[in-house]
Amino acid sequence: MRLGARERMLLTFTFFSMFFGAGNLIFPPCLGAQAGSRTAPATVGFIISAVGLPVLGVMAVSAAGGFERLANRVSPGFAQGLGVAIMLTIGPCFAIPRTATTSFEMAVVPFAGETPTWIAQLAYSFVFFAVAFALSRHPEKLSKVLGRFMGPLLLVMIAVLFVACVLGFQGEAAAPMGDYSDGQLARGFLDGYQTMDLLAALYFGIVISANARQMGIASDAQVRRETGYAGLGTGVLLIVIYSALSFVGVVSGSLVAIDPKSDTGATVLTNLTGAMFGPFGTAFLGAVFVIACLNVCTGLICTCSSYFQSRFPTVAGHHIGYRVWTVVFTIFSFIVSNAGLSAIITVSVPVLSALYPIAIVLVALSLAHNVFSVRFPRVYFWTVLFTGVAAGLRCIASLAVVFGVSIPWLDTALSWLPFSQFTLGWVVPALVGLVIGMADGLLRRR
C-alpha cells in the first residue's frame, strides 16, 4: 500500500509543524542582517545543518526503530546519558527559557519605554511561566486550538514580510559584520545548530513512523519510503521559509544597523516591522510570538517532565511524579530566562557544538547501517568516542571564552586539528574512530 497525495501532504505538514516554531524565526533574519551581501553562502550553510541534518535524523531514527535502539548501538549507558543531555538542552537549559526571552523581546521590549529591562523581563517571565505551568496540566487543549491556528498564521506573517521586503527594498545589502565577516558558509552551518532540530529529530523519527503506520502502511520499507517523502516535502518548505527570512534580515539590516554582539533575530524583525508597518505591525508580530512561544513552551515542559518521570521515578529514595518535574523545570527555566536571549544563545553555542557532532555521526552510521555499519558494529562505539572527545574539548574551550577564561594549551591543541578554523575539528577524529572501529571488528572476528 502507498499513501495518496492527501495523506502524504498531511504527513508532511505534521512533520513540518513538529520542527518549525517561533524560535526558528529569529535565526535566519539575524543571519541576513549580519551577512548582508554574503547572505547567499551563509544561508546555504544554515540550510545544510538546520534542514538537511534534521530530515536525515528522522529517517535514521525511523530506520533504527527509535532513538533508544540507535543509541544502544554505542552502549545502554551512552543512550541514557545522551538522552538526558538532549532533553536538558531542548528543555529547561536553553529551548524552554528561549521561548520566554524571544517573546519578551518581540512583544514587550519595543513598548517598554523607560521601564528598566530587567524589571519588565522579570515580571513578564513570571506571568509567562505561570501560564505555561497551568497549561502543562492539560496541554492538549492548547495544542488543539492554537497548534492548528498559529502555524498558518506564522506562515502568512512570513509571506507578508517577504512580499513587503521585495516590493520596498531599494537600497543595497550592507557589508558582512560580526561573526559573518568571513567564512559565511561555515558560520551559517554552525548557527543552524541553534534551531536544535537535529537533537529533536532523534525523538521525532519514531513519531513520524507511527503516523505512517496509522495511515495503513505496514512494511518497514514502505514506512521508510513515506517518511522520506514527508521529509523531502518538509525540507522544501523549510528551505523556502529560511531563504525568505534571510532576505528579510538583509532588508532589515539595510534599514537599521544592529549590534552583532548584543542584538538578536528578534531585534532584526522588530526593526523591520516598526519601519514598514509602524507600532501596529510590531504589536501584531509580538502577539503572534507570545502565543506561539507559549504553545511551544507548554509542549516542551510536558515532554521533558514525561521523559524524566519515566527515567527517574525516584530520586534519593523519594518518588518524583510528573507534577513535581513540571514544577522543577518551570522554576529552573524561569531563572535561566532572565539571563536574556543574547546570553542564552551565547552559552548554548558551545554546548550545541558538543552535542551536534555526536548526533551527526550517529545519523550517518545509522543511514549506512544496512550496507556498512552492521558489518562493523564496533564503529559506533569508537567513532562516537573520538568525536565526543574532540567536540567536548572544543565545548570546554568555547565555554571558557564565554566566561572570560583562557586555556592556552587547550586552544593550541585544538588548533592542530584539521578544519578547526571552521569549528569542524571533530571530523578527522571521527574518521580515526571509524577506522579503529573497523579494525576492532575485524580482530574480534578472529
Side-chain angles (χ1 to χ4, degrees):
M1 175 184 174
R2 297 190 176 204
L3 297 181
R6 181 177 178 278
E7 288 79 9
R8 283 179 177 170
M9 184 174 295
L10 179 61
L11 196 63
T12 297
F13 275 98
T14 299
F15 201 169
F16 172 79
S17 65
M18 293 174 70
F19 280 119
F20 193 80
N24 299 68
L25 281 169
I26 66 175
F27 297 109
C30 191
L31 176 155
Q34 292 190 60
S37 59
R38 295 288 297 166
T39 294
T43 303
V44 170
F46 184 87
I47 286 173
I48 291 173
S49 59
V51 179
L53 293 180
V55 170
L56 291 177
V58 169
M59 296 174 65
V61 171
S62 173
F67 169 74
E68 293 294 333
R69 290 187 179 181
L70 172 58
N72 275 334
R73 292 172 181 172
V74 179
S75 75
F78 168 80
Q80 177 158 312
L82 182 61
V84 169
I86 290 175
M87 276 296 164
L88 291 176
T89 301
I90 67 174
C93 289
F94 299 114
I96 294 178
R98 198 171 69 187
T99 61
T101 54
T102 300
S103 56
F104 170 75
E105 293 205 10
M106 295 298 300
V108 179
V109 170
F111 306 100
E114 298 181 357
T115 304
T117 302
W118 72 271
I119 294 179
Q121 185 166 14
L122 186 67
Y124 173 83
S125 58
F126 179 82
V127 174
F128 181 91
F129 281 111
V131 174
F133 173 73
L135 292 171
S136 66
R137 300 174 63 182
H138 303 287
E140 70 283 354
K141 296 182 179 179
L142 184 71
S143 300
K144 288 181 179 178
V145 177
L146 298 182
R148 299 175 184 177
F149 174 69
M150 290 312 303
L153 185 56
L154 285 171
L155 294 178
V156 170
M157 182 204 71
I158 294 170
V160 170
L161 286 177
F162 178 71
V163 171
C165 288
V166 170
L167 297 178
F169 184 50
Q170 299 178 349
E172 295 183 359
M177 66 171 73
D179 292 334
Y180 285 89
S181 297
D182 53 27
Q184 291 85 12
L185 179 68
R187 186 65 209 184
F189 181 86
L190 183 62
D191 277 355
Y193 291 2
Q194 286 289 335
T195 64
M196 304 187 196
D197 283 345
L198 175 57
L199 302 183
L202 297 179
Y203 287 92
F204 288 168
I206 199 65
V207 177
I208 297 299
S209 300
N211 275 267
R213 293 184 188 280
Q214 286 183 350
M215 293 179 178
I217 303 299
S219 72
D220 292 340
Q222 191 62 31
V223 166
R224 288 193 293 270
R225 187 174 295 111
E226 295 298 341
T227 300
Y229 288 142
L232 180 62
T234 299
V236 171
L237 283 173
L238 289 173
I239 288 172
V240 171
I241 291 171
Y242 287 149
S243 299
L245 286 172
S246 297
F247 177 71
V248 167
V250 173
V251 176
S252 179
S254 69
L255 295 173
V256 183
I258 65 168
D259 182 352
K261 293 183 179 180
S262 59
D263 290 337
T264 65
T267 310
V268 174
L269 288 175
T270 52
N271 288 344
L272 180 70
T273 54
M276 287 192 166
F277 303 108
F280 173 78
T282 302
F284 172 75
L285 183 64
V288 171
F289 263 75
V290 170
I291 299 173
C293 286
L294 188 62
N295 193 28
V296 172
C297 179
T298 302
L300 289 175
I301 290 175
C302 295
T303 300
C304 292
S305 299
S306 298
Y307 177 87
F308 274 81
Q309 179 194 21
S310 63
R311 289 292 185 275
F312 307 102
T314 59
V315 177
H318 299 283
H319 174 72
I320 305 294
Y322 170 83
R323 187 64 52 79
V324 175
W325 283 117
T326 60
V327 172
V328 171
F329 291 141
T330 300
I331 294 176
F332 186 85
S333 300
F334 165 74
I335 295 172
V336 173
S337 70
N338 280 274
L341 181 58
S342 181
I344 292 172
I345 292 175
T346 300
V347 176
S348 68
V349 169
V351 176
L352 292 172
S353 69
L355 291 176
Y356 253 72
I358 295 173
I360 290 171
V361 298
L362 270 179
V363 168
L365 291 174
S366 176
L367 292 175
H369 185 75
N370 291 334
V371 296
F372 170 74
S373 306
V374 69
R375 301 178 184 178
F376 305 97
R378 293 292 292 173
V379 297
Y380 282 97
F381 173 81
W382 287 107
T383 307
V384 167
L385 176 63
F386 275 70
T387 302
V389 170
L393 291 176
R394 169 57 65 185
C395 174
I396 293 172
S398 300
L399 282 175
V401 173
V402 169
F403 292 104
V405 181
S406 177
I407 311 177
W409 67 267
L410 181 57
D411 294 333
T412 301
L414 290 172
S415 68
W416 293 339
L417 292 173
F419 313 118
S420 61
Q421 67 272 31
F422 304 118
T423 321
L424 296 173
W426 55 271
V427 172
V428 171
L431 294 176
V432 172
L434 182 71
V435 173
I436 293 176
M438 293 173 61
D440 187 7
L442 292 174
L443 290 174
R444 288 171 181 264
R445 292 178 188 175
R446 294 182 179 179

